[in-house]
């Protein structure tokens, strides 16, 4: 296989080693990884043994209006993220996106569904990219300073944190 780019040739070599020097399997994985972009290989189709997989996910969208987005994780693993129709909440996994879609359907509103989803997932991974950016009513961090009664030796104050809602769970 003739490469036009040394770093990508090295990347292919790493794949070949990963597949116990099986160049065919390494090439299929390399083509899958580089799908939709330049392979930097001279006449790459001559090395293909089977058609390249589709650019669409094999799983159907979790519900009407959902979009899927192909992402690369760790520089080489391709995964699909699922994006909700109204607020564009980006889920890293299909099953949690499906769970959220059920809530959307039950509650009839993506905002309320998100609040309920956050309650149910409190203390665990939501499988959402940057979940806090979708929160409507985040906990306030600016708090008033209120004097505290003490023994009279010192004049100190204590900050009292106020929040509109209590944290949904540990670690919030």
């Amino acid at each position: 296989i003739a490469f036009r780019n040394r770093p990508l040739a090295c990347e292919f070599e790493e794949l070949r080693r990963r597949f116990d020097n099986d160049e065919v399997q390494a090439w299929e994985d390399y083509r899958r990884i580089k799908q939709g972009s330049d392979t930097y290989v001279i006449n790459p189709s001559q090395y293909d043994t089977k058609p390249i997989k589709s650019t669409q996910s094999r799983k159907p969208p979790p519900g009407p209006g959902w979009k899927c987005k192909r992402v690369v994780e760790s520089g080489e693993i391709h995964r699909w993220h699922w994006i909700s129709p109204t607020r564009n909440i980006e889920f890293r996994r299909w099953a949690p996106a499906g769970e959220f879609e059920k809530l959307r359907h039950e509650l009839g509103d993506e905002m309320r569904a998100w609040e309920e989803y956050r309650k149910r997932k409190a203390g665990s991974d939501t499988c959402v990219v940057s979940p806090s950016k979708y929160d409507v009513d985040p906990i306030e961090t600016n708090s008033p300073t209120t004097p505290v009664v003490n023994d009279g030796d010192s004049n100190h104050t204590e900050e009292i944190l106020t929040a509109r809602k209590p944290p949904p769970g540990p670690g919030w």
Side-chain angles (χ1 to χ4, degrees):
I1 298 176
F3 282 85
R4 294 178 286 145
N5 181 302
R6 187 178 190 290
L8 291 175
C10 293
E11 186 178 317
F12 176 76
E13 183 60 25
E14 185 65 40
L15 284 171
R16 198 171 64 78
R17 277 190 237 127
R18 192 177 306 150
F19 290 110
D20 295 324
N21 293 324
D22 182 349
E23 196 166 85
V24 172
Q25 196 172 5
W27 175 252
E28 288 172 3
D29 200 45
Y30 182 82
R31 285 290 273 184
R32 184 184 55 77
I33 291 168
K34 296 298 178 190
Q35 185 176 5
S37 65
D38 192 349
T39 61
Y40 291 94
V41 171
I42 298 168
N43 196 8
S45 60
Q46 72 178 340
Y47 305 108
D48 293 340
T49 57
K50 57 185 173 182
I52 298 171
K53 292 179 181 175
S54 166
T55 57
Q56 293 296 313
S57 170
R58 287 178 277 174
K59 292 184 179 179
W66 283 75
K67 295 175 262 174
C68 62
K69 172 179 151 184
R70 189 169 174 222
V71 294
V72 178
E73 294 177 358
S74 304
E76 55 189 67
I77 300 170
H78 289 256
R79 298 206 186 273
W80 295 96
H81 285 192
W82 301 94
I83 301 167
S84 71
T86 307
R87 299 185 64 213
N88 295 319
I89 299 171
E90 188 173 339
F91 287 82
R92 294 187 317 264
R93 300 289 178 260
W94 189 88
E99 183 181 339
F100 179 73
E101 174 60 19
K102 284 180 188 172
L103 284 173
R104 249 174 41 92
H105 185 70
E106 285 172 19
L107 300 173
D109 178 328
E110 197 161 308
M111 298 281 273
R112 291 188 330 182
W114 177 249
E115 289 174 8
E116 180 61 28
Y117 183 80
R118 286 289 265 178
K119 286 178 192 170
R120 291 182 184 187
K121 294 294 181 181
S124 65
D125 186 6
T126 61
C127 292
V128 171
V129 176
S130 304
S132 61
K133 78 178 187 182
Y134 305 107
D135 292 341
V136 178
D137 198 10
I139 296 169
E140 292 180 17
T141 54
N142 297 335
S143 58
T145 303
T146 310
V148 175
V149 177
N150 57 33
D151 60 9
D153 291 341
S154 63
N155 205 5
H156 70 276
T157 60
E158 178 182 298
E159 280 191 49
I160 299 173
L161 297 176
T162 59
R164 284 186 238 145
K165 291 183 182 177
W172 285 69

